[in-house]
Amino acid sequence: GVITNTGGAVRVQTLPGQENYPAVNANGIQSQVLSRWASSFSVTAGAKDTALEAVGRSVSTARPSTGKRPKKTLDKKVGNKDCKADIAFLIDGSYNIGQRRFNLQKNFVGKIAVMLGIGTEGPHVGVVQASEHPKIEFYLKNFTATKEVLFAIKELGFRGGNSNTGKALKYTAQKFFSLENGARKGIPKIIVVFLDGWPSDDLEEAGIVAREFGVNVFIVSVAKPTTEELGMVQDIGFVDKAVCRNNGFFSYQMPTWFGTTKYVKPLVQKLCSHEQMLCSKTCYNSVNIGFLIDGSSSIGESNFRLVLEFVSNVAKAFEISDIGSKVAAVQFTYNQRTEFGFADHATKEKVLSAIRNIHYMSGGTATGDAISFTTRNVFGPVKDGPNKNFLVVLTDGQSYDDVRGPAAAAQKAGITVFSVGVAWAPLDDLKDMASEPRESHTFFTREFTGLEQMVPDIIRGICKDFLDSKQ
């Protein structure tokens, strides 16, 4: 078996297919380079299965009956656009794992990298090695092509020392995902922690830090402690305490480092399930905000500009992207005009530019009709989507129609309503439109210049409602 030194405790594992390898000394260090492991990486035309699987197509359906080879749908440079993720692989480099299993671990991480479909628009990956002290081996920004990532993984040297995984996890959560190191805005941050046996330090605090930073922690535990070994484990519940959410999705177990190929695809599918990344869902990147803007004649052109500035400043706080938060705007008088819908602009710059380009309509005030129109036409298409829905109604006067019925219908459709009144907007109307508790969803200012001070309160209100809905 492989004998590994775990700080005083000697651990013997009998592993299949071991006869062909040289002996391993008591530190688990084995210096011979395995020539075979490098060749198992390359995705050449010969390895059709892996190549096709990396494209995410099953081999059986990938060939049309004409007998012609299909064109590969995955643009190598761009990568798999359906798997938007920034991933740190936190590998075990301690004496616990030993040189030989360390190489098998590298091999496994390489296979995951191939199947992820790394590319400029797809997943980006980096590697951190946990040992006595953590070491960032390479950042997200260093390589955006699978070939380069594989080479970098192959070059990783084994460090040894204790498996201070907690220390390494905390360090990775705090230092790895900065914008200057290549983290992208609005894209889920993931740390995949590989653990051979058990950590020699505490994982709980590291797990809390990672959640505070909006990082999704996965734990891949290999060769978990046997009954006799449990006495040496500091905290038996270490997996549950470190993962993003203790719901079974974020933990993954493998019996040994041998024959791991079958575990690659299910793990990659998890890492690409954008909707399950609960820890990176924050109020900033997981909401749809619709603005319903009064364009009636009493406002006037210059005050209308102040209203648009208010709308821009609220929108600016959120991470707007095709997989993040979204913004829409409708202007109303007696009629309604959708200025832009949730699907129209996928970046913050485009949204802010669209808000600036809204032209003042001038006319009457039918707020109730406008709420019904917005609920149906703007929120209708996203009602089953993953984001939480908010409507901010801005008006400066009395509505000619009933607002209570339409507002209740909007709330029933899952939309949280904030009402913002200026000048002559009656408080009763504002309260009738607002979601419960009405006090915290109703805002009023005498002057249009007072809108500016309300921006932080609206943002805070949206975030509070978002968190409450997640509890």
Side-chain angles (χ1 to χ4, degrees), residues 9-290:
V10 174
R11 172 170 191 218
V12 181
Q13 274 187 308
T14 312
L15 302 167
Q18 248 182 324
E19 320 58 73
N20 328 333
Y21 291 86
V24 179
N25 71 21
N27 272 342
I29 297 171
Q30 195 266 97
S31 55
Q32 184 191 335
V33 178
L34 301 174
S35 58
R36 267 195 300 166
W37 89 277
S39 60
S40 63
F41 267 145
S42 52
V43 180
T44 56
K48 280 181 199 134
D49 298 20
T50 358
L52 286 164
E53 286 205 323
V55 184
R57 299 170 109 186
S58 73
V59 178
S60 57
T61 57
R63 297 220 180 102
S65 52
T66 59
K68 280 189 186 143
R69 284 288 308 279
K71 278 206 174 83
K72 272 176 73 173
T73 53
L74 182 66
D75 176 341
K76 273 257 174 61
K77 237 176 124 63
V78 170
N80 179 6
K81 285 184 180 168
D82 296 330
C83 181
K84 288 232 182 358
D86 282 346
I87 305 170
F89 292 115
L90 180 52
I91 60 172
D92 189 340
S94 65
Y95 287 141
N96 223 16
I97 191 169
Q99 174 82 56
R100 175 154 164 248
R101 293 198 307 253
F102 179 75
N103 283 344
L104 293 169
Q105 174 184 228
K106 291 203 302 189
N107 200 342
F108 182 61
V109 173
K111 286 176 183 164
I112 294 169
V114 169
M115 194 172 274
L116 276 170
I118 294 164
T120 49
E121 313 266 309
H124 290 182
V125 305
V127 170
V128 183
Q129 186 173 168
S131 54
E132 196 68 43
H133 303 290
K135 181 187 178 203
I136 295 177
E137 300 284 1
F138 59 91
Y139 287 103
L140 296 163
K141 66 173 180 191
N142 294 135
F143 312 109
T144 51
T146 308
K147 264 220 304 260
E148 296 171 341
V149 169
L150 289 182
F151 185 75
I153 291 170
K154 188 173 171 244
E155 292 295 295
L156 295 174
F158 173 63
R159 295 177 58 115
N162 276 323
S163 58
N164 288 334
T165 312
K167 188 174 171 184
L169 176 56
K170 187 174 167 186
Y171 181 81
T172 309
Q174 289 171 325
K175 302 272 190 288
F176 184 83
F177 295 100
S178 67
L179 295 174
E180 54 273 19
N181 291 329
R184 295 168 288 176
K185 274 191 167 164
I187 285 183
K189 301 192 269 279
I190 300 172
I191 300 176
V192 185
V193 180
F194 293 95
L195 241 178
D196 186 88
W198 60 88
S200 39
D201 62 351
D202 177 44
L203 282 188
E204 186 169 13
E205 191 206 343
I208 293 167
V209 169
R211 285 190 287 279
E212 281 173 2
F213 277 87
V215 176
N216 301 279
V217 176
F218 278 79
I219 300 241
V220 178
S221 51
V222 186
K224 60 179 186 182
T226 61
T227 331
E228 307 80 77
E229 291 168 333
L230 281 175
M232 294 180 268
V233 182
Q234 273 192 30
D235 183 352
I236 294 168
F238 67 85
V239 171
D240 293 341
K241 287 179 178 164
V243 291
C244 158
R245 265 310 147 83
N246 180 9
N247 58 5
F249 179 79
F250 294 94
S251 40
Y252 198 69
Q253 262 169 356
M254 302 196 302
T256 93
W257 287 109
F258 291 84
T260 53
T261 309
K262 62 178 176 291
Y263 296 104
V264 174
K265 197 172 181 181
L267 182 55
V268 166
Q269 279 165 343
K270 281 191 179 214
L271 299 180
C272 292
S273 309
H274 185 260
E275 283 328 310
Q276 305 264 21
M277 298 300 158
L278 302 171
C279 288
S280 48
K281 297 273 175 208
T282 65
C283 70
Y284 297 107
N285 64 20
S286 306
V287 296
N288 296 325
I289 308 171

Side-chain angles (χ1 to χ4, degrees), residues 411 415-418 431 433-439 441-442:
Q411 289 164 36
I415 303 165
T416 302
V417 182
F418 284 88
K431 283 201 167 139
M433 291 188 284
S435 287
E436 296 285 352
R438 294 202 163 137
E439 286 60 50
H441 290 82
T442 307

Side-chain angles (χ1 to χ4, degrees), residues 293 304 329-331 337-341 344-345 354 357-359 361:
I293 304 164
F304 188 73
V330 172
Q331 188 180 170
R337 182 170 81 196
T338 303
E339 302 290 354
F340 55 93
D344 292 345
H345 301 299
N357 291 327
I358 292 175
H359 297 296
M361 283 163 74

